[in-house]
Every structure is written in C-alpha cells, then in structure tokens.
Amino acid sequence: MKTEVAVVGGGPAGLAAALAASETVSVVLLERERELGGILPQCIHHGFGNFIFDRMMTGPEYAQHFIDRVEQSGIDVHTETAVLSLSDDRTLTAVSPREGIMSIDARSVILAMGCRERTRNQILLPGTRPAGVYTAGTAQRLINVEGAMPGKTVVILGSGDVGLIMARRFTLEGATVRGVYEIMPSPGGLTRNVVQCLEDYDIPLHLSHTVTAVHGSRRLRAVTVSAVDEEMNPLPGTETTVPCDTLVLAVGLIPENELSRQARIAMDGRTGGAVVDEHMETSVPGIFACGNVVHVHDVVDDVTVAGGTAGRHAAQFARRPPRARPRPIEVRAGRNVRYVVPQVLRHLDEDTATLYFRVQETEHRVVCAVVDQDTGAVFHRGKQPVVRPPEMVSLRVPTSDLKNVETNILVHVRKEEHA
Ligand SMILES: Cc1cc2nc3c(=O)[nH]c(=O)nc-3n(C[C@H](O)[C@H](O)[C@H](O)COP(=O)(O)OP(=O)(O)OC[C@H]3O[C@@H](n4cnc5c(N)ncnc54)[C@H](O)[C@@H]3O)c2cc1C
C-alpha cells in the first residue's frame, strides 16, 4: 500500500495529526485497538477540552468530536491493526486479523503511539504475587469499560493524575480507598486533581511513603507501607500493615517508542521520547512524532495542538520534501529545568516558537527565562508565582530574536531575587 502520510496510533494525537494532514494529502491511520480514541474512551471523568473547547468534557466526548471528523474526512482508517516495524526509509509493516500482514510505503510518517504504564516489575516491588495488583489504567478499563469492580478495599501507590483520578473512581463505585501513598515529598498530579479527587472525598494522601511489601497467596491480603528518607530509601521502624484486597499502581508512564528506536530516531533520555523540532519532526527526515509518545502531557488539549502541528508539516514534507535541512539550534535545560520540548529549533518560520518544559523541583516566585547560551542575550523573561514538577510550563518566544543565535539556547528558572 502507498500513501502520502501514514499515522501510527489513533489516540487524540494521531486523530489531530491525521485530520490536519488530510486537508491536503492522502492519509492512512493505523490503530491496534478495535476503537479509535486512544486512552480517552476509558477516561469517563470530566477534565478534557478546557482550553480548546472552553468547556469541560469527558474523555469519550472529547475523542468522539475528532472521531466524527475523521469518519467524514476520507482518511483511510485501519483499526485492529498493529504496526510491527518502521524503517528509516518510512516503510511500515503492520498486521491485522482482516488484512493479514501489510507493507505501507509512506512519504512521511507520524508516530502517535502514546505511553504505557510502569508495572510492578519496573519498580521492583517485593513480596508475594497474589491476584489484586493492577496498574491504574487496567483498573480504570475494568471499571469504566468492562463494568467489573477489581476490589473493595484499595491502596493506591502514586499520586500522579492517574492515581488521583482512580482514587476518586473507586470511591464513587463504593470501594474504600485506604490511602494514596506517594514516595516523593509532594503530590505528583495537578493541584486541581488533589483537591477534586482526594480532599473532596476525604481520601488520605501519605507523602514520602511507599509500599514495601505485598502480602497474600491467592488474593492480596495487605500491603506494608513505610516512610522514606530524602533519598527515597524506606526508613526501618516505620512499617505499617494496611489490609486491602486491591493495590493500584500509578507509578508512571513510559512513552511507547519501540518503533522510533527501530527507525534509529534520536531519543531524549529525559523525556523517554524522540528528539523533535518545532515542526514535531524527528532526527529522521520525514518521520514526525506527537503526543505522549514524545513526552507525557498533563492535558489532552496540548496533545491535540502538537498533533495538528505534526500533521500539517508531515503533509508538507509529503508534497515537497525539502532538499536540505536548516541548521538546528539546540534548546537546553538549565537551572531547575528537567526537560524542554522541542529539543531543537530548526525552521523559525512562525512568529513565535512555543517551548514546553517541566521543572525539577517546586519553587515559588520565580523568573523563567530563555537566553542565548553563548552571549547571554535574553529572548524571553516571565515571572511565575509557583512552578511544580507535575505542571508543564509553556513559553512563547519571538522567533525574530532567535535568528541570530549561533549554537544553543538555554531555558532556566531562578528565584526572583537571583534573576
Ligand atoms: C487515567 C488518565 C486520566 C487522564 N485525565 C486527563 C484529564 O482529565 N484531562 C486531560 O486533558 N488529559 C487527561 N489525561 C491525559 C490524556 O488522556 C493524554 O494526554 C492523551 O490521551 C494522550 O494522547 P496520545 O494520542 O498521545 O496517546 P493515547 O491516548 O495513549 O493513544 C495512543 C494510541 O496509539 C495506539 N498504538 C500504540 N502503539 C501502536 C502500534 N504499534 N500500532 C498501532 N497503534 C498503536 C494505542 O492503541 C492508542 O490507541 C489522562 C490520562 C490518563 C491515562
């Protein structure tokens, strides 16, 4: 099969990318699940679309808006189709029960495979291996899609947004949530979710605590929780046994990048995703990436915007591949910045470039700045009352100023009094 643009993944990133590309070129959309929408069909809480639609929608409502448009767009959609391989010449191999093995020759490719959850093995959780230990996404799918209740007395490990939302979900379905345990000294999720999912339901949040053992033979009977020190090592003598029949692991998401590695795309060790420029193009010309496969986003609206950017530029590449790539400016993470996306700026063809970043630690009354690493010239400087690791910060930098940069720009965060 030949196409101008092939999109891998039919979540919000892939849907937005496919729609944007389909305005000018032919598009094939490949999704391994039976339904389009990615993770959203199982996220039945409100909290989606606040920025794009200026109203709070549920995940299925938000996804359906884009699915309806895809169905009317002429995009060639293949569900139950898993992409197995991708080469750097933009040839994909996919498999589906209806069509068997397919080879797809695309002029440009958009990677939108989302994330997967970290499991018990990845956090080396000791103890027995009884039934009753779930990742948060699996528990969410069981309750919201399959209509099955995983258990009645629940401990949640991890206070990222997924853990917080599941604490409320279990409570609303009649379970008792014994507590949310978080190894870090501050919550991992958005403040609005701490308030709306825990405080409003009197669910206790135990910071600087973790689960140190799992007990039970056939079914989970209890977990041991311990306080941890500043290096996150369990403190002997602080162990408490918490009886429960369900342990929900909400311990992080990992961008799903096997295909990116196969295509020898440069990866960013801090985000776990591909290095991209402001067009969402990776280090391999003609292969673009967007959404959670690039870095874990807080809100879906940003994913949709990134998908649109990838889609427009992938279509442009498919119509007319550029002869040469402009020299990149590297965007580096400075003081109290964990990572910045995009990691390179190459085109500077819009009035502004938006840089997304996360901080390493919470700080109050700060100045976020974008500077020329060589000359110290300041391109952007903005005050923020507070920055927190779970909350992505975005900065819009005028590109006219960046045109004189020789090598790198640096994003850093400093206390107001030191800025
Ligand atoms: C529990 C939970 C609660 C959330 N709550 C909110 C909220 O309240 N508000 C908000 O704005 N955001 C929320 N989010 C975040 C939001 O859902 C994500 O930002 C968004 O879904 C990411 O979109 P995506 O398209 O990048 O990835 P996904 O939605 O994960 O979609 C990726 C798709 O790619 C497919 N795929 C992967 N590999 C392949 C392959 N090899 N071949 C074919 N297909 C493949 C997958 O099957 C999947 O359908 C929440 C997320 C979770 C998990």
Side-chain angles (χ1 to χ4, degrees), residues 1 30-33 77-84 93-104:
M1 183 192 303
L30 307 153
E31 165 56 53
R32 69 179 169 201
E33 297 295 333
V77 178
H78 298 253
T79 50
E80 290 189 277
T81 303
V83 177
L84 305 177
T93 312
V95 65
S96 91
R98 282 187 306 275
E99 299 171 86
I101 301 262
M102 297 181 251
S103 177
I104 300 138

Side-chain angles (χ1 to χ4, degrees), residues 136-148:
T138 303
Q140 187 182 50
R141 189 171 175 85
L142 283 170
I143 299 175
N144 294 349
V145 179
E146 314 289 336

